[in-house]
Amino acid sequence: MQYEEIVEIYDKIARTTKRLEMTDHLVELFSKVDPEEIDKVVYLTQGKVYPDFIPYELGIAERMVIKAIASTSGLGDNEIERLWKEKGDMGHVAEEAIGRKTQTTLMGMSELSVEKVYENLEKITKASGPNSQDIKMRYFSDLMHNAKPVEAKYITRSVMGKMRLGVADMTLIDALAITFAEKEQRDEIERAYNVCSDLGMVAETLAKEGLEEVRKIHLKVGVPIRAMLAERLPTLEAILEKTEGKAAFEFKYDGLRLQAHINPDKVELFSRRLENMTDQFPEFKTELKNVFQGKEAIIEGECVPIDVNTGAFLPFQIVSHRRGRKYGLREAQEDYPVHLVLFDCLYLDGEDLTNTPYKKRREQLKKAIKPSETVMFSEVLVTDDPDDAERFFLQTIEDGSEGLIAKSLTSVYVAGSRGWNWIKYKKDYESEMSDTVDLVVVGAFAGRGRRAGTYGALLMASYDEDEDRYKTFCKLGSGFDDEMLLDLPTRLDEHKLEKVHEKVDSKMKADFWFEPALVLEVLGAEITISPSHTAALDQKREGAGLAIRFPRFTKYRDDKAPTEATTVKELVSMYESQLKKLDLQQRM
Ligand code: AMP
């Protein structure tokens, strides 16, 4: 397939924010693709080269991209720099620059195929060694040399890892179902994706061999499963009602979720976002091998930092000191020792346990292994009595955990879904907003005084699952110390946009805009009706949304994707439970 055919459709997709229209365009795309290359088309559309769990880096510096565009277009570095400042999007810069190519540089161009573009991107990811930047630059320039303007736009975005098509995985799945099966069968495709986390592979199987083969995709040791997520409820009574009157209440440890894939030769660890974390926790490699003694397993647990002197859990933030560290691992291990608290078992010795009820999964895990000093089982209480659960909850808080996660005894493990199988009950949920929310940075306001030159406040949004959009919820300016203030631009600049992101609804005019990427945990005094924000707009009062009063930054939630931020629905339910509590207090 010619690359031009895909990018024409990308342009149509970029012009709409409506999921149904996007789906139609994707169906048009998939109908034209040769099944042999549909996996590549899916990765490109997701803005990737490989599925998330395969570590790779395109690693081309912005400066190199500018140079390559300058030389292939013949416009020179200064002009490209000028365009970059003017447009703020390298894709647009490339499109314009290639469009202004002179006759001489037009000579010797050949048509670009999808295969060629993908192959060069792969070569860019593989280039290593001292000359790697030159090699990467050569493959990128080779594509730019042959690219038409619109092709140049998307190649540049792919190379910079900023595709920004705004197509959610679920929309791709809708389109795959319509093209290669029946619309109603989309859930079967989604199931396969959730257990293998590789939409390219699912699409290829579907296009080449049909839904029958997709049904045969099962979990495999070494391939991460998309994590099951938890809902939340404000009272233990409400939780028990949802779980047929009885539930297993587990401590909710405040750490980093890890999915461990264990076989006798190899142990691999994946984060909740499917990144491979194995090298960051070498201590678990040996320990899990010892604990599992030759068994094959996929298990989930929370990695928590421990105070070696007291044995108490330490704040989660400490684990994040070890994230992304390539050097000094030994010091990290000594300074920030961690335990792995196991809470689920999805596969054991050839048996897929995801369809086995929770109670049985836990029993199998307990039978299979003996805990060690650093790998242990989560604390659990099975009860039908809310008072017992409340006492257990108070104990978890005292032990430094965040609260409880209630699990229905009969529930199966549904990969990739947020549902009522797991329900979280967090600290002081019922008091006025002493629970935190996780919000996405979508904009910022210029700082004044001591904050001049950096960001003074951030515009934070919650995620609206139904509309797949981000709705603003507060302006966040406190809780940051000086170090964090300095750190903010480094974390945010790569997501900077010229104007408000197309998926963000904001009434406020920020000075800077960002693509929704960075998630922060925020604590506030209470949730109020707000005329300035768009979260739950018109739901509680016409023309008004909800906002947080006195918001304060508490920590980074790098482990969360923006779509995993606190949802508008959750905010509404928090607001309602706050009202109920006020009402109770007034009547007492
Ligand atoms: P949250 O991150 O607030 O949405 O809460 C869900 C997270 O709690 C999961 O993704 C796990 O990382 C974490 N967690 C801690 N303890 C448990 C547990 N016993 N069972 C399940 N998840 C847990």
Side-chain angles (χ1 to χ4, degrees):
M1 185 179 193
Q2 293 307 315
Y3 186 61
E4 191 178 9
E5 288 179 83
I6 314 197
V7 296
E8 273 169 6
I9 295 178
Y10 284 171
D11 254 0
K12 288 192 211 166
I13 292 174
R15 279 197 290 272
T16 177
T17 53
K18 296 204 180 84
R19 183 165 170 180
L20 285 180
E21 283 179 18
M22 281 188 191
T23 312
D24 287 345
H25 297 315
L26 288 167
V27 170
E28 184 193 344
L29 173 62
F30 292 149
S31 319
K32 290 184 184 170
V33 180
D34 178 348
E36 287 298 332
E37 51 189 18
I38 192 162
D39 53 340
K40 298 179 178 117
V41 171
V42 167
Y43 299 136
L44 290 175
T45 312
Q46 286 180 308
K48 300 174 186 168
V49 183
Y50 301 112
D52 288 331
F53 59 89
I54 296 185
Y56 73 91
E57 249 180 64
L58 285 152
I60 296 200
E62 186 180 291
R63 174 176 54 77
M64 302 298 264
V65 172
I66 292 180
K67 268 199 169 333
I69 300 174
S71 72
T72 38
S73 65
L75 292 185
D77 286 8
N78 288 346
E79 176 60 2
I80 302 300
E81 294 270 7
R82 190 193 65 75
L83 284 173
W84 173 220
K85 280 210 184 88
E86 181 189 306
K87 298 188 180 288
D89 172 306
M90 203 62 91
H92 282 137
V93 174
E95 184 174 28
E96 171 153 351
I98 297 298
R100 282 162 52 189
K101 236 181 182 183
T102 52
Q103 275 308 316
T104 46
T105 44
L106 279 172
M107 306 234 292
M109 274 177 65
S110 54
E111 299 245 312
L112 285 176
S113 63
V114 171
E115 203 182 335
K116 167 81 180 169
V117 172
Y118 188 82
E119 196 183 287
N120 278 28
L121 286 175
E122 269 197 312
K123 286 178 178 160
I124 290 172
T125 67
K126 298 216 161 90
S128 62
N131 294 329
S132 66
Q133 279 291 324
D134 291 342
I135 303 170
K136 287 171 193 280
M137 171 110 154
R138 212 174 321 130
Y139 288 121
F140 176 53
S141 300
D142 174 37
L143 293 177
M144 293 309 273
H145 174 71
N146 292 304
K148 301 192 176 75
V150 52
E151 292 175 324
K153 173 167 71 184
Y154 290 105
I155 290 168
T156 304
R157 285 184 182 164
S158 283
V159 160
M160 296 190 78
K162 293 191 172 163
M163 196 56 173
R164 287 186 190 154
L165 270 184
V167 177
D169 289 344
M170 294 305 130
T171 314
L172 281 162
I173 290 172
D174 290 348
L176 286 169
I178 294 170
T179 319
F180 301 108
E182 299 295 328
K183 199 172 171 186
E184 300 68 44
Q185 290 166 322
R186 71 160 312 283
D187 287 356
E188 297 191 61
I189 301 169
E190 185 186 334
R191 183 211 62 85
Y193 174 46
N194 284 334
V195 297
C196 74
S197 311
D198 184 345
L199 199 53
M201 187 271 270
V202 172
E204 186 182 351
T205 310
L206 183 66
K208 278 190 182 163
E209 299 169 90
L211 193 64
E212 252 332 286
E213 287 303 307
V214 170
R215 290 190 182 118
K216 293 184 193 152
I217 296 177
H218 290 297
L219 69 185
K220 221 161 86 187
V221 177
V223 179
I225 299 161
R226 288 170 30 90
M228 176 151 104
L229 308 170
E231 277 285 354
R232 77 162 96 191
L233 277 176
T235 64
L236 290 162
E237 286 78 4
I239 290 176
L240 283 166
E241 223 169 86
K242 276 272 183 210
T243 53
E244 300 158 336
K246 196 172 183 181
F249 291 90
E250 291 189 18
F251 276 18
K252 183 178 189 305
Y253 300 89
D254 184 13
L256 181 79
R257 182 172 182 164
L258 288 179
Q259 194 178 91
H261 289 240
I262 303 152
N263 70 32
D265 316 314
K266 205 171 173 189
V267 169
E268 278 185 289
L269 305 170
F270 298 97
S271 74
R272 161 174 169 157
R273 297 180 74 171
L274 311 179
E275 304 143 294
N276 196 317
M277 310 290 283
T278 319
D279 292 341
Q280 282 179 53
F281 299 101
E283 58 264 63
F284 291 145
K285 268 206 264 190
T286 21
E287 194 62 9
L288 285 169
K289 252 190 209 166
N290 292 340
V291 166
F292 278 81
Q293 292 190 2
K295 294 191 168 58
E296 256 204 322
I298 303 176
I299 46 136
E300 278 195 325
E302 192 84 356
C303 164
V304 273
I306 295 292
D307 180 332
V308 272
N309 294 310
T310 63
F313 297 133
L314 291 171
F316 159 81
Q317 210 60 356
I318 288 181
V319 177
S320 65
H321 285 304
R322 297 180 48 146
R323 297 194 100 204
R325 254 190 195 235
K326 291 213 177 99
Y327 308 100
L329 258 179
R330 188 182 294 265
E331 294 96 289
Q333 264 172 273
E334 279 170 16
D335 293 349
Y336 311 112
V338 282
H339 286 180
L340 186 62
V341 192
L342 306 184
F343 57 74
D344 218 320
C345 181
L346 316 182
Y347 179 94
L348 191 64
D349 276 342
E351 201 187 340
D352 177 349
L353 297 180
T354 52
N355 283 320
T356 305
Y358 163 82
K359 191 162 168 265
K360 196 105 190 278
R361 294 206 299 279
R362 181 122 186 152
E363 281 164 10
Q364 304 251 102
L365 179 63
K366 282 208 117 165
K367 245 199 275 161
I369 59 164
K370 256 218 218 83
S372 74
E373 213 171 285
T374 55
V375 174
M376 65 274 288
F377 301 117
S378 57
E379 295 283 339
V380 61
L381 172 78
V382 178
T383 184
D384 55 6
D385 181 349
D387 293 337
D388 282 349
E390 184 68 31
R391 275 189 288 277
F392 193 57
F393 168 73
L394 294 176
Q395 189 193 328
T396 86
I397 299 298
E398 206 179 310
D399 286 2
S401 300
E402 275 190 309
L404 297 174
I405 295 218
K407 300 182 176 178
S408 143
L409 298 174
T410 52
S411 64
V412 296
Y413 188 98
V414 189
S417 92
R418 186 188 293 282
W420 297 108
N421 290 345
W422 288 4
I423 308 170
K424 53 189 171 185
Y425 177 71
K426 295 213 314 197
K427 196 157 50 179
D428 289 329
Y429 186 92
E430 289 179 280
S431 71
E432 289 176 352
M433 265 236 62
S434 28
D435 189 11
T436 56
V437 285
D438 301 320
L439 303 174
V440 191
V441 186
V442 296
F445 302 86
R448 297 207 184 97
R450 232 163 54 81
R451 295 194 184 169
T454 178
Y455 301 124
L458 304 176
L459 183 59
M460 307 300 298
S462 58
Y463 180 59
D464 190 326
E465 279 179 309
D466 297 335
E467 296 180 26
D468 183 26
R469 298 186 68 76
Y470 297 87
K471 312 275 178 151
T472 72
F473 184 54
C474 68
K475 209 170 145 176
L476 176 68
S478 56
F480 302 102
D481 61 28
D482 290 352
E483 198 186 313
M484 282 162 193
L485 275 178
L486 283 176
D487 198 27
L488 270 177
T490 16
R491 283 175 176 258
L492 282 169
D493 281 1
E494 61 171 309
H495 304 295
K496 220 173 195 173
L497 300 174
E498 272 294 280
K499 53 182 180 15
V500 59
H501 188 274
E502 69 250 15
K503 286 204 174 175
V504 171
D505 287 337
S506 173
K507 285 190 190 175
M508 287 197 168
K509 280 205 163 39
D511 298 316
F512 308 95
W513 295 105
F514 305 104
E515 67 180 321
L518 188 65
V519 181
L520 309 181
E521 190 188 74
V522 175
L523 187 66
E526 63 175 317
I527 299 180
T528 53
I529 295 281
S530 155
S532 357
H533 289 285
T534 55
L537 186 66
D538 294 331
Q539 283 189 38
K540 294 289 155 194
R541 186 173 304 163
E542 186 129 3
L546 293 178
I548 226 174
R549 201 158 68 92
F550 302 137
R552 196 170 82 242
F553 167 83
T554 42
K555 65 187 181 203
Y556 287 109
R557 288 297 310 251
D558 291 333
D559 59 319
K560 283 205 167 181
T563 48
E564 290 177 68
T566 303
T567 59
V568 169
K569 239 190 241 156
E570 289 180 279
L571 297 179
V572 171
S573 110
M574 288 170 87
Y575 176 72
E576 284 168 352
S577 87
Q578 188 185 289
L579 285 188
K580 254 187 240 153
K581 196 184 164 225
L582 267 180
D583 186 33
L584 262 181
Q585 278 171 349
Q586 278 160 3
R587 275 191 279 147
M588 276 199 311

